[in-house]
């Protein structure tokens, strides 16, 4: 069975000046990047996500701060705390995701394999369970 939590270790290219991480399509990122967005300034006690996608791969990195991801494939539910700028969480098609416990300084960077398409979202958990079967 495929792992639900797939962490991609991003190589820090640091030197004595500090750190740098480079992300490249079809190399460290296992798809062609079509879209990048970032979530920041998340208010206290706010959770986000609560949806799945039919056709979208994403990598999420907490560039600063941390948050907790819950991933659910309709059979299993697992969670991981993203708390490192060198930890990328790969999220595949038809995976329900929730993000919780954002620290005030959290900047969550997301790389996506497709352009934004509201029609690709499954925002109802029962609909997701039907499609995930
Ligand atoms: P949404 O994906 O619902 O946020 P989250 O899953 O983090 O809770 O997106 C929030 C709003 O932003 C929604 O109105 C759609 C819009 N949006 C875009 O226009 N383009 C994008 O690339 C993303 C991710 C969201």
């Amino acid at each position: 069975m495929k792992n639900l939590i797939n962490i991609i270790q991003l190589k820090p290219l640091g030197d004595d000046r500090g750190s740098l991480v480079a992300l490249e399509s079809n190399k460290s990122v296992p798809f062609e990047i079509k879209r990048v967005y970032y979530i920041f300034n998340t208010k206290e006690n706010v959770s986000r996500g609560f949806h799945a996608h039919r056709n979208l791969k994403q990598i999420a990195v907490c560039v600063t701060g941390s948050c907790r991801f819950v991933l659910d494939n309709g059979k299993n539910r697992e969670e991981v705390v993203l708390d490192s700028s060198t930890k990328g969480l790969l999220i595949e098609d038809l995976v329900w995701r929730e993000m919780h416990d954002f620290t005030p300084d959290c900047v969550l960077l997301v790389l996506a394999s497709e352009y934004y398409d509201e029609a690709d979202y499954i925002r109802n958990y029962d609909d997701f369970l039907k499609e995930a079967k």
Side-chain angles (χ1 to χ4, degrees):
M1 204 184 70
K2 273 206 309 197
N3 288 340
L4 200 43
I5 305 288
N6 285 301
I7 296 290
I8 297 178
Q9 291 297 339
L10 307 169
K11 194 171 158 206
L13 304 169
D15 55 31
D16 53 12
R17 297 170 298 172
S19 305
L20 184 158
V21 170
L23 303 170
E24 294 179 296
S25 286
N26 301 316
K27 291 189 175 178
S28 46
V29 175
F31 51 77
E32 188 79 32
I33 301 163
K34 285 200 183 149
R35 176 165 56 107
V36 175
Y37 62 92
Y38 42 97
I39 292 170
F40 58 104
N41 247 340
T42 307
K43 304 294 179 254
E44 219 178 326
N45 299 318
V46 166
S47 294
R48 303 193 57 133
F50 300 96
H51 65 259
H53 290 274
R54 299 183 177 89
N55 173 40
L56 182 68
K57 294 181 192 4
Q58 295 189 301
I59 288 190
V61 185
C62 268
V63 178
T64 59
S66 69
C67 70
R68 178 170 59 89
F69 263 81
V70 173
L71 298 186
D72 179 336
N73 60 9
K75 287 199 184 96
N76 298 307
R77 182 169 268 249
E78 291 179 19
E79 58 176 58
V80 62
V81 174
L82 289 188
D83 58 0
S84 159
S85 37
T86 58
K87 246 193 234 178
L89 176 65
L90 177 65
I91 309 168
E92 309 244 23
D93 305 336
L94 282 179
V95 171
W96 183 266
R97 84 286 317 270
E98 299 173 7
M99 295 91 90
H100 305 279
D101 303 342
F102 287 86
T103 57
D105 61 340
C106 179
V107 178
L108 179 64
L109 176 73
V110 183
L111 313 175
S113 66
E114 303 298 332
Y115 298 117
Y116 173 69
D117 176 11
E118 183 59 39
D120 185 62
Y121 279 73
I122 309 169
R123 292 192 182 273
N124 177 284
Y125 188 71
D126 291 332
D127 294 343
F128 161 70
L129 287 179
K130 281 179 208 147
E131 293 201 34
K133 269 191 186 153

